Amino acid sequence: MSDYVEVVDDPSLDFGTGTFTVGTWIKVLTNDNNFHNIISKKNGYNGSGIGWMAWLDFRATGAMQLRVNDGSTAGDDTPTASGDLKTIIQDGNFHHLVWVINANDTVTYYLDGINEGSQSFTMSGSINNALSLRIGTQGNSNGINGIIDDPRIYNRALSPAEVKRLYELGQTTHMNTTITSPSLDTGLVGHWTFDGKDMVSNVADTSGNGN
């Protein structure tokens, strides 16, 4: 993995102690037993670096994971989705992944519109930082050998119905052109379609925030 998108820090991408949602389509091109960072606003994998990171862990049966650090503890809290997701995600097809992070310190994982479970974590302080947001890597390492499409970030928690709708909208169209839905524009602070028309001079953010 050598290509990634770097988005300069902006207040709209800092969520403090609040709620936010991260979602994207991915297609894994090389099956392995490693971990891969999908979208992050954090430096340092273990006990360093205030911020957050949405990632995949293929070292065992496969899991969606979230890593957060507010600086209040020596290390990060890492909730893990249950179930064997490795075989599903590494099947050579596109899959839709969503992390819904709630202010009550829980994260709920969705794969292709289906709830894969929730986990709790401890966070008492802000996860704001001055770092760039990176899509396809964390820092500049551990990116995924695959294709990322239509990543979105919201400053609110999407409902299960909204997550399902987002999956259905992109299920048959995400490889060609992105279809938007007004109800899914609320709270959208970052949206990079990767459609040709949005990549003329740079990777444009179509959320209206200019990220």
Side-chain angles (χ1 to χ4, degrees):
M1 162 64 188
S2 59
D3 295 330
Y4 61 88
V5 174
E6 183 168 348
V7 180
V8 176
D9 179 50
D10 185 86
S12 65
L13 299 173
D14 286 321
F15 308 108
T17 58
T19 295
F20 62 105
T21 298
V22 178
T24 191
W25 286 89
I26 69 161
K27 180 179 181 179
V28 177
L29 298 179
T30 302
N31 295 352
D32 60 32
N33 299 306
N34 208 340
F35 61 91
H36 302 283
N37 304 301
I38 308 302
I39 303 176
S40 68
K41 198 172 187 293
K42 181 184 187 303
N43 281 335
Y45 178 71
N46 290 313
S48 63
I50 293 175
W52 59 270
M53 178 175 70
W55 58 295
L56 293 174
D57 189 353
F58 292 145
R59 289 173 293 183
T61 58
M64 294 172 60
Q65 298 212 30
L66 174 77
R67 184 173 291 269
V68 293
N69 190 351
D70 62 4
S72 64
T73 60
D76 297 316
D77 302 291
T78 310
T80 305
S82 60
D84 182 359
L85 305 183
K86 182 176 180 179
T87 303
I88 299 173
I89 296 174
Q90 290 190 349
D91 66 356
N93 297 310
F94 272 99
H95 293 283
H96 192 238
L97 312 179
V98 175
W99 293 255
V100 178
I101 299 94
N102 286 287
N104 62 349
D105 299 343
T106 62
V107 54
T108 302
Y109 303 93
Y110 293 86
L111 174 61
D112 295 337
I114 298 174
N115 187 325
E116 294 291 340
S118 300
Q119 299 289 336
S120 62
F121 58 90
T122 302
M123 188 176 73
S124 58
S126 172
I127 58 173
N128 286 357
N129 60 41
L131 299 173
S132 295
L133 175 84
R134 290 187 173 181
I135 302 169
T137 187
Q138 177 265 328
N140 58 0
S141 61
N142 299 117
I144 191 164
N145 184 11
I147 301 170
I148 294 178
D149 192 29
D150 199 40
R152 300 171 182 238
I153 300 178
Y154 292 83
N155 63 6
R156 65 182 182 90
L158 293 187
S159 69
E162 288 175 316
V163 172
K164 185 68 177 296
R165 177 61 176 154
L166 194 59
Y167 165 67
E168 291 172 342
L169 278 175
Q171 189 175 12
T172 58
T173 63
H174 66 274
M175 290 182 289
N176 298 313
T177 186
T178 301
I179 296 176
T180 59
S181 172
S183 64
L184 290 171
D185 289 342
T186 303
L188 188 63
V189 296
H191 181 202
W192 302 269
T193 69
F194 295 165
D195 293 345
K197 62 182 177 58
D198 298 324
M199 300 183 68
V200 176
S201 59
N202 61 7
V203 182
D205 169 25
T206 63
S207 71
N209 291 282
N211 289 316

